[in-house]
Amino acid sequence: MDEMALIQSAQRGDLEAFNRLVLHYQDVIFTQAYRMMGESEAAEDATQEAFISAYRSLRTYRGGSFKAWLLRIVTNACYDELRRRKRHPTTSLQPLDGDDDEIETPRWLRDHSESPEEQTERHELGTAIRHCLDDLSPEFRAVVILVDIQGMDYGEASAVTQTPIGTIKSRLARARMRLRDCLGGLWELLPAKYRLFIEDRP
Amino acid sequence: MTTSITRREVEALSAYLDGQLSEKERIRLERDLQLRADLRALLEDLQRTRGLLRSQPMLRAPRNFTLTPQMAGVKTFKPARRRLVPAISLVSVMAAALFMLVLVGDLVSFGRKPELLQLASQSVPLPMEVEAPAAYEARSLDSRVATEAPPPAEAVAENAFALTTPTPTLEATSQALSLAEAYPPPEAGMAKSADATRDIVTTPTLLTPYPEPLPTMVAQADELPAEELSAEELPAEELKEVETQAQRPPIQTRWNTWRLAEVALGLMALSFGALAYFLARSSRP
């Protein structure tokens, strides 16, 4: 895919070219929205809104990483929605499990090659991380998602959040410290493959 | 354990994990790590935390988020059809304006009809001076022949409408009257008198029309001798010509033309307006 050619076509109003870009980036954008919002429906709304907004403001794109540009749009959409929710808090209509936790685990998140025990462990880990991320402020959450989940470097994260690299560095360190405190001794409970994964990576 | 670790050292440890320290900073931190156990323990915690976060899978979008033209706000209407709308609207407006003009004109002229009808009903048969030339001749012929019945009510009404038409002229009618008076009853002068009157009255007049008959003219008409001529004395060809002219309904035709124009303009305004509305609505993005 010649990304630049598609972007230029889309800038000239070629919706089909833009939709090819959407198909290429929708997983990345949805992941960012899901980690920011913590629930699937809100993430879908934010993702769709971000792509619509991106198409309408495509002429303001002046080169650079298109992925970072899209991530900035979806992150800002999530900020807006989270701010709106803070002003007008609502009660979720999602069913609750026995521990009063909202049942997450959408079907597309499940890995069918896993055993039921592994699925349960992964579900628990995912729920714990989500809760810990939710405890962070949106600005800290955005940085830790961009760097540790999306795998961006500090420069890209800085471009997405439009903050200096020093701020990224500071926010990331503080966010990791809070997550460490939040997750506690969870990693002793992790399956072997996660422990190995952790030890293999610097 | 971490209470003695400064915020700056935490940031350095976090950046060290990501390989974001400069060479100088990295060497200094590695030296500190060899000397301090609390730093090493924190580095291990941060590394695990980071590993847990990085173990989270990239999610698959539950559906495609491609945009439809409607979502993107793309205009899909046909420009050619869209461009027609102002022109059609203009035609509709012009037709409506003309319709109003014709309607007002018709109403103004129709407003005079009651008095004319009243005037006509006072003297039946109607005064011939205010009728169209053909009607005048026909009526004078009728009175001369004196064999037919008096005009029916419809004819009276029809003649009343004729009053509104501008065909007769003051000059022509006055001339006719004076000529009729100049030829008194003696039988000998009747043919001449009739010829002279017919010649003048049937002559096509292109003079300025007047809207209403003058009362003096009506009075003079009443004084006209009812039986001036006998039918036998008129030449057969002339009699036929007079009858043909009498059968023509010029006033009624003109009245219908006004109505037809009103109906046509009204329909035109409505249909073009509806068409413009439909086109504008259907071509809306």
Side-chain angles (χ1 to χ4, degrees), chain B residues 270-285:
Chain B
L270 281 176
S271 57
F272 274 80
L275 184 64
Y277 175 77
F278 170 76
L279 281 178
R281 195 180 169 84
S282 66
S283 61
R284 198 175 292 167

Side-chain angles (χ1 to χ4, degrees), chain A residues 28-156:
Chain A
V28 172
I29 302 303
F30 177 75
T31 298
Q32 181 74 10
Y34 182 81
R35 298 297 179 194
M36 286 291 294
M37 302 303 298
E39 56 175 286
S40 179
E41 284 185 15
E44 285 187 43
D45 291 345
T47 304
Q48 190 69 77
E49 188 186 330
F51 280 124
I52 291 171
S53 178
Y55 182 78
R56 290 179 180 166
S57 56
L58 204 55
R59 290 185 182 181
T60 64
Y61 172 70
R62 297 277 180 252
S65 168
F66 191 66
K67 178 184 170 185
W69 187 73
L70 287 176
L71 281 168
R72 182 165 76 233
I73 291 172
V74 76
T75 303
N76 287 334
C78 292
Y79 283 159
D80 292 343
E81 177 60 19
L82 289 169
R83 273 196 290 267
R84 193 192 64 77
R85 286 183 181 191
K86 198 173 178 182
R87 286 196 302 270
H88 308 286
T90 54
T91 305
S92 173
L93 295 176
Q94 287 191 356
L96 303 177
D97 60 14
D99 300 328
D100 287 346
D101 288 333
E102 291 178 7
I103 297 171
E104 185 198 359
T105 320
R107 284 179 186 158
W108 67 88
L109 284 179
R110 291 178 188 157
D111 182 357
H112 295 289
S113 65
E114 290 178 328
S115 67
E117 291 78 16
E118 286 174 329
Q119 284 184 11
T120 304
E121 287 166 352
R122 201 166 67 82
H123 167 67
E124 286 177 357
L125 174 63
T127 304
I129 289 174
R130 184 170 60 81
H131 283 177
C132 290
L133 284 172
D134 286 348
D135 286 341
L136 298 175
S137 70
E139 290 77 16
F140 282 43
R141 197 186 314 161
V143 173
V144 84
I145 292 169
L146 289 170
V147 175
D148 283 339
I149 295 178
Q150 298 280 10
M152 291 186 137
D153 60 31
Y154 288 11
E156 290 173 317

Side-chain angles (χ1 to χ4, degrees), chain B residues 1-7 9 36 38-39:
Chain B
M1 192 169 74
T2 57
T3 49
S4 62
I5 299 174
T6 63
R7 186 175 157 183
E9 286 170 335
R36 293 171 61 181
D38 58 345
L39 279 182

Side-chain angles (χ1 to χ4, degrees), chain A residues 19 26-27 109 154 176 202, chain B residues 14 18 50 59 61 64 67:
Chain A
N19 280 336
Q26 62 183 5
D27 289 348
L109 284 179
Y154 288 11
R176 280 171 175 169
Chain B
S14 174
D18 297 323
R50 182 173 174 271
L59 305 181
N64 284 337
L67 306 187

Side-chain angles (χ1 to χ4, degrees), chain B residues 50-253:
Chain B
R50 182 173 174 271
L52 274 180
L53 292 169
R54 295 200 165 202
S55 71
Q56 291 301 293
M58 180 69 72
L59 305 181
R60 275 187 59 207
R63 62 178 175 85
N64 284 337
F65 291 98
T66 50
L67 306 187
T68 62
Q70 196 178 8
M71 290 161 76
V74 175
K75 295 175 180 176
T76 54
F77 62 84
K78 295 177 181 173
R81 284 176 67 184
R82 183 76 180 174
R83 279 200 300 271
L84 282 176
V85 173
I88 294 173
S89 301
L90 183 67
V91 171
S92 173
V93 167
M94 286 175 69
L98 274 173
F99 170 75
M100 292 305 294
L101 214 63
V102 170
L103 190 67
V104 167
D106 190 24
L107 285 175
V108 166
S109 63
F110 190 77
R112 294 172 182 165
K113 284 174 187 172
E115 12 179 301
L116 296 175
L117 274 171
Q118 193 181 0
L119 194 65
S121 64
Q122 284 173 357
S123 57
V124 176
L126 286 172
M128 289 172 286
E129 295 80 1
V130 294
E131 292 181 6
Y136 170 75
E137 282 200 22
R139 188 161 302 284
S140 64
L141 182 66
D142 286 349
S143 60
R144 276 176 263 153
V145 173
T147 52
E148 294 177 9
E154 291 85 0
V156 173
E158 197 175 311
N159 287 328
F161 281 124
L163 293 174
T164 63
T165 62
T167 41
T169 63
L170 179 60
E171 292 81 357
T173 312
S174 300
Q175 267 187 303
L177 281 172
S178 59
L179 280 169
E181 283 173 354
Y183 291 89
E187 256 72 48
M190 266 204 288
K192 273 189 178 179
S193 161
D195 287 345
T197 306
R198 188 165 52 247
D199 285 344
I200 292 166
V201 174
T202 55
T203 303
T205 54
L206 297 171
L207 301 172
T208 309
Y210 69 95
E212 293 179 15
L214 297 173
T216 52
M217 289 161 51
V218 176
Q220 284 173 342
D222 285 339
E223 291 168 7
L224 274 175
E227 280 134 26
E228 290 177 302
L229 298 169
S230 64
E232 293 81 26
E233 293 181 20
L234 282 173
E237 287 177 6
E238 288 182 7
L239 185 61
K240 196 177 279 180
E241 188 188 343
V242 167
E243 281 175 349
T244 311
Q245 288 180 355
Q247 284 167 1
R248 263 192 282 164
I251 283 78
Q252 187 70 25
T253 306

